[in-house]
Amino acid sequence: MTEARRSRKKTRVTSLDIAHRAGVSQATVSRVLAGSPLVNAETRRRVELAVRELNYKVDRHASSLRTQRAGTLALLLFEDPTQDDSHINPFFLSMLGSITRACARHGHDLLVSFQQLSDDWHADYEDSMKADGLILLGYGDYLAYQAKLARLVEQGTHFVRWGQVEQGQPGISIGCDNHAGGLLAGRHLLAQGRRRIAFLGDASNRFPEFFARYQGCDAALREAGAAMLPELQVDADSTEQAGADAANALLARALPFDAVFAASDLIAIGAMHALKQAGLRIPEDVAVVGFDGTSMALYANPPLTTVVQDTSRAGELLVQALLQQVREQPAQSAMLQPALVVRASSGG
């Protein structure tokens, strides 16, 4: 062993050094590093300060052997049909960034796995020590997906999903208040003098997030003595091509409409392309509003009015709720409030 290596070995900081610097027991240091809620705020502050001052690094391997935890969370991304080969909805790319940052803040690694809904993705990650729990992003038909969520609950897997929050759902969900987002879109379009609002996106229990957005817009119209018309609703997946196809199907019905509320920004952008090809002016002839708040909305032509979901806060809540389960602490579902960003596509 070289002299330099011996020196590094001798000076390696341990949890006992942290305890001495902070004036607490080694057991208290361990509890702080594990995120235990049993440590008071002042003691936690002293330990964390000592960790920073001594540049202490947690030995993840030794820690996992002691706690039987991997120190890793798994993020399962389910494929979406896209225009490129990524098969990832751009909305989830921003969510991925916020989840990664939240994991880092909580001292956990993140394992990202790309899944198909047909795969056996509900296999137990925890028993294999791959990860302490699962974060689920993206899915297709919720009614088909629900059975696998129930299976995760039955086998005691720690998991949290991003999606519509409703009573009786299996497990913990973090999501946007989609009904409130639909209300924002509907009230905005009404304020622009639009009353015959078409909806592009599935409006059924198979896609509860889209359905809640539709219902919210309908509630806004009913406040004004109107209502969404079933003949102005066209199913669409969350892709530009699906949005263009849905807009063309809507135009083929030859029914009057003066606005389009799309269930996602991707649908809205595809729809705008089809509407312009048909000779309609946006927003003069048809106002368009999307949903998600992706960066693509800002650079659409014209820039797209959209209902924004708070992906930064979402990432923090997803990681927090999962770690609460891992630590055997109470965790509950939560809904985030959306915001409307008005741009040229709606004439605002």
Side-chain angles (χ1 to χ4, degrees), residues 21-323:
R21 172 67 68 93
V24 299
S25 69
Q26 192 173 19
T28 297
V29 172
S30 296
R31 282 193 288 270
V32 170
L33 296 177
S36 171
L38 301 177
V39 182
N40 68 49
E42 174 57 25
T43 300
R44 182 181 301 278
R45 187 194 65 78
R46 295 207 313 272
V47 171
E48 290 174 346
L49 178 62
V51 166
R52 290 193 297 272
E53 290 176 342
L54 296 177
N55 195 28
Y56 176 69
K57 305 295 183 185
V58 177
D59 185 337
R60 288 290 181 83
H61 178 68
S63 178
S64 66
L65 290 175
R66 289 193 301 271
T67 65
Q68 294 300 300
R69 293 179 186 166
T72 299
L73 304 181
L75 171 63
L76 305 192
L77 269 167
F78 299 103
E79 70 172 9
D80 271 314
T82 57
Q83 302 296 105
D84 56 22
D85 292 331
S86 71
H87 297 287
I88 299 175
N89 187 320
F91 171 72
F92 290 124
L93 291 178
S94 61
M95 186 82 78
L96 173 60
S98 66
I99 290 171
T100 302
R101 290 189 293 274
C103 282
R105 284 194 296 271
H106 288 278
H108 277 65
D109 293 326
L110 184 66
L111 169 67
V112 180
S113 179
F114 189 66
Q115 303 285 321
Q116 292 184 337
L117 284 170
S118 58
D119 289 346
D120 189 28
W121 53 266
H122 57 287
D124 200 334
Y125 273 65
E126 294 182 50
D127 280 354
S128 65
M129 283 294 289
K130 289 181 182 177
D132 298 321
L134 309 178
I135 299 173
L136 309 177
L137 290 186
Y139 57 88
D141 187 333
Y142 176 72
L143 296 182
Y145 176 91
Q146 190 176 22
K148 291 188 177 183
L149 297 181
R151 172 76 180 277
L152 290 177
V153 173
E154 289 171 6
Q155 61 193 35
T157 299
H158 301 126
F159 77 95
V160 62
R161 59 180 282 274
W162 171 261
Q164 179 70 2
V165 179
E166 295 179 348
Q167 290 289 333
Q169 288 178 326
I172 301 296
S173 297
I174 306 297
C176 174
D177 188 338
N178 291 290
H179 188 276
L183 270 173
L184 289 173
R187 288 170 178 167
H188 169 68
L189 289 170
L190 284 165
Q192 304 306 308
R194 317 295 173 133
R195 294 179 71 86
R196 294 185 62 85
I197 303 172
F199 183 81
L200 305 186
D202 196 300
S204 74
N205 288 326
R206 292 172 55 244
F207 293 81
E209 290 168 291
F210 285 8
F211 193 21
R213 294 167 193 178
Y214 175 88
Q215 291 174 314
C217 191
D218 182 58
L221 286 178
R222 290 182 185 277
E223 289 174 349
M228 297 291 280
L229 302 174
E231 59 268 27
L232 294 182
Q233 183 270 324
V234 184
D235 287 350
D237 294 329
S238 191
T239 67
E240 297 101 313
Q241 186 60 55
D245 292 343
N248 284 325
L250 177 65
L251 291 166
R253 295 177 186 177
L255 298 170
F257 62 96
D258 55 18
V260 165
F261 176 33
S264 75
D265 288 348
L266 294 179
I267 294 172
I269 291 168
M272 287 199 297
H273 180 72
L275 293 171
K276 286 189 289 185
Q277 281 195 323
L280 294 173
R281 298 168 302 161
I282 301 170
E284 292 85 356
D285 300 321
V286 181
V288 180
V289 174
F291 204 109
D292 282 338
T294 61
S295 59
M296 297 173 66
L298 178 60
Y299 298 104
N301 183 23
L304 177 65
T305 294
T306 182
V307 179
V308 178
Q309 304 191 72
D310 187 347
T311 56
S312 178
R313 181 64 178 148
E316 178 62 35
L317 287 180
L318 286 164
V319 172
Q320 185 181 89
L322 184 54
L323 288 177

